[in-house]
Amino acid sequence: MIDQLKSSIRDIPDFPKKGILFKDITTLCKDAAMFQRMVDLMAHRYVGKKIDLVVGIEARGFVVGAALAYKLGAGVVLVRKPGKLPHKTHKASYALEYGTDSLEIHQDAIEAGQNVIIADDLLATGGTAGAVAGLVTQMGGNIVECAFIVELDELKGRDKLLPHPVFSLIKY
Ligand code: AMP
């Protein structure tokens, strides 16, 4: 099952810059059976865990996050690039596998004590999800797990997310 999911992900060498092997999940997402399987396998872990919110990271994390939230009967929160969210925000900066960037979340998006899953398509160095975990923690959210479709094992991104649990469906 996981092997089929794995082979539905397309490798794009040297994108967005030389030396990066980009794992393109759009080929997984456009395949109805694969998309459903991916969401079901991820959501299965959290059934009965009283998840209040799934925090999706722009942009592919929105796809995973919204589907997971719907399946779990949870709300979905958007973490976006700077300047995109209309209300008051908290901001965090982070280092990416290719460059640096910042992310924002609405200040009223999470209430203290809410059970939260952080969702994105891929865990590389962990800079992105680590920044989001920092924001969620700062707001008093309880991070139940950080969930990814793909994890690039050798970049040790999960170390940056400690002490939070990390789950990925597919590892490279
Ligand atoms: P990082 O902060 O290094 O863990 O990078 C994770 C973020 O960058 C995720 O939002 C991914 O979508 C994206 N990303 C980083 N490296 C790759 C890659 N090799 N293939 C696809 N997406 C990537």
Side-chain angles (χ1 to χ4, degrees):
M1 225 146 74
I2 296 292
D3 282 350
Q4 271 179 300
L5 275 178
K6 202 168 185 169
S7 51
S8 75
I9 294 172
R10 170 167 60 188
D11 283 352
I12 311 276
D14 300 322
F15 183 88
K17 68 178 197 189
K18 210 162 174 46
I20 302 290
L21 181 62
F22 194 87
K23 297 289 178 188
D24 178 16
I25 60 145
T26 64
T27 39
L28 181 158
C29 291
K30 77 184 175 90
D31 182 323
M34 289 302 131
F35 184 66
Q36 194 165 48
R37 184 175 296 174
M38 179 272 285
V39 175
D40 285 348
L41 284 171
M42 288 180 100
H44 181 71
R45 294 178 58 76
Y46 309 112
V47 173
K49 296 261 168 74
K50 297 192 164 70
I51 303 301
D52 298 303
L53 295 171
V54 180
V55 175
I57 306 175
E58 185 167 0
R60 291 175 297 268
F62 293 169
V63 177
V64 190
L68 257 183
Y70 182 79
K71 188 92 185 167
L72 293 169
V76 62
V77 167
L78 310 187
V79 167
R80 299 208 62 183
K81 304 274 165 59
K84 300 281 187 185
L85 289 170
H87 197 56
K88 287 182 187 162
T89 59
H90 295 301
K91 185 173 181 170
S93 297
Y94 62 98
L96 200 66
E97 194 184 0
Y98 35 85
T100 60
D101 218 336
S102 301
L103 287 170
E104 292 182 341
I105 188 168
H106 273 151
Q107 287 182 6
D108 60 0
I110 298 172
E111 286 170 34
Q114 285 192 302
N115 289 330
V116 173
I117 293 171
I118 294 172
D120 204 358
D121 64 328
L122 183 139
L123 176 65
T125 65
T128 310
V132 176
L135 288 169
V136 174
T137 304
Q138 175 193 334
M139 296 166 83
N142 171 44
I143 300 172
V144 175
E145 196 153 73
C146 302
F148 305 90
I149 306 174
V150 175
E151 178 176 3
L152 304 182
D153 248 352
E154 65 179 23
L155 294 175
K156 302 196 188 319
R158 62 170 60 222
D159 293 353
K160 278 227 185 81
L161 294 174
L162 285 170
H164 308 297
V166 171
F167 172 74
S168 58
L169 273 179
I170 297 164
K171 291 179 204 291
Y172 290 93

